[in-house]
Amino acid sequence: MDRQERIVNALSFDVEEWFQAEIFSHVFPRASWETMESRVERQVDVILDILARHNVRATFFTLGWVAERAPGVVRSIVSGAHELACHGYDHTMITRLSRGEFDRDLTRARTVLEQAGGAAMGGYRAPTFSITSNTLWALDALLDQGFTYDASIYPIRHDRYGIPGARRFPHIVSRRGGRVLWEFPGMTVRIAGVTLPAGGGGYLRLFPYAWTARAIRQAHRNGEPANVFAHPWEFDTELPRPGLKTLSRFRHYGGISRNARTLARLLGEFRFAPMGEVISARAAGGRGG
């Protein structure tokens, strides 16, 4: 096994109900959620089954809202020896919150998840990758509440998120008071000097398999772990389809029918582990620069 083949990549899933995706924020207002069909438990079960068949563990960034209403989801994640991590309380983007509102959201989510999971958590991913250049103060809030790593910064230009030019691979972020936090950015690929998104969510569904595999191998050539992520609803072939405009419908539903096969192929070709373990191994190796 050569050096690149020995590199273990991070695999994670953002656990939310299908109607909580940002694309539906103006279709299903918060007040309607209690009346919506819950599908998250069966969706997570599909992923857990794929992971079990390949003997792979992953990180599940989970909403506090989901943990309150579907505690069986958290029990299934923890009983499978997967890593439970925080995705906020109700999927409100940080760009829509004040510092005080974010503190309260984070406290509420962390409390619910740690009670459901039975242990403290170290990891956080913001809804819709909404730690941007205007919300970097959220990193201080994470440190205040004892989080050790973040996975919310995507070093790309996007219509809803991203910090173009940000570092592409796991690194230590220094904050006020000399405190530090590990950051594991969303996976990208460099082509002709341009940084492009790869390996997660719609990029995993809509792009050919070779796109994600290329990004992983490029990370490995740099001696870095890759970062693959998805959402449970992206594996639901019977996902409800409320009215969306043509482009939005394609972005949201395209590739769902083949996503389970794509994930299984990745698990067979590359090595994966929970994100917290990948970061811990990197920290132990002294590569935090």
Side-chain angles (χ1 to χ4, degrees), residues 61 85-87 94 102 106 122-127 129-132 135-136 138-140 142-143 147-154 163 169-171 173 180-186 227 275-276 279:
F61 292 99
C86 184
H87 195 38
I94 299 176
F102 178 64
L106 191 60
Y124 175 82
R125 176 177 283 148
F129 291 98
S130 52
I131 293 186
T132 67
T135 56
L136 288 172
L139 299 178
D140 298 308
L142 293 176
L143 284 165
F147 287 89
T148 58
Y149 77 86
D150 173 65
S152 307
I153 294 176
Y154 221 137
I163 302 181
F169 300 114
H171 58 278
V173 176
V180 297
L181 183 78
W182 275 90
E183 179 65 39
F184 205 134
N227 177 6
M275 185 172 289
I279 290 175

Side-chain angles (χ1 to χ4, degrees), residues 23 159 206 244-254:
I23 201 168
D159 56 353
L206 299 172
L244 291 173
K245 294 182 179 179
T246 302
L247 178 58
S248 295
R249 187 167 60 249
F250 171 74
R251 287 174 64 176
H252 195 69
Y253 293 98

Side-chain angles (χ1 to χ4, degrees), residues 7-21:
I7 294 177
V8 179
N9 309 289
L11 178 65
S12 62
F13 300 90
D14 293 354
V15 181
E16 59 204 50
E17 285 283 6
W18 65 274
F19 48 81
Q20 292 173 319

Side-chain angles (χ1 to χ4, degrees), residues 94-154:
I94 299 176
T95 48
R96 296 175 183 154
L97 299 174
S98 67
R99 170 62 193 266
E101 290 170 333
F102 178 64
D103 285 340
R104 290 188 289 275
D105 178 276
L106 191 60
T107 298
R108 188 177 185 185
R110 180 177 55 80
T111 300
V112 170
L113 288 164
E114 290 182 346
Q115 288 176 348
M121 294 179 303
Y124 175 82
R125 176 177 283 148
T128 319
F129 291 98
S130 52
I131 293 186
T132 67
S133 56
N134 294 323
T135 56
L136 288 172
W137 46 260
L139 299 178
D140 298 308
L142 293 176
L143 284 165
D144 288 346
Q145 298 212 26
F147 287 89
T148 58
Y149 77 86
D150 173 65
S152 307
I153 294 176
Y154 221 137

Side-chain angles (χ1 to χ4, degrees), residues 13-50:
F13 300 90
D14 293 354
V15 181
E16 59 204 50
E17 285 283 6
W18 65 274
F19 48 81
Q20 292 173 319
E22 180 60 24
I23 201 168
F24 291 130
S25 60
H26 300 297
V27 179
F28 301 119
R30 176 69 172 76
S32 71
W33 289 358
E34 300 291 349
T35 68
M36 304 295 294
E37 177 194 12
S38 174
R39 301 181 66 84
V40 69
E41 195 155 5
R42 73 192 78 170
Q43 293 165 352
V44 170
D45 283 345
V46 168
I47 294 170
L48 292 175
D49 181 63
I50 296 172

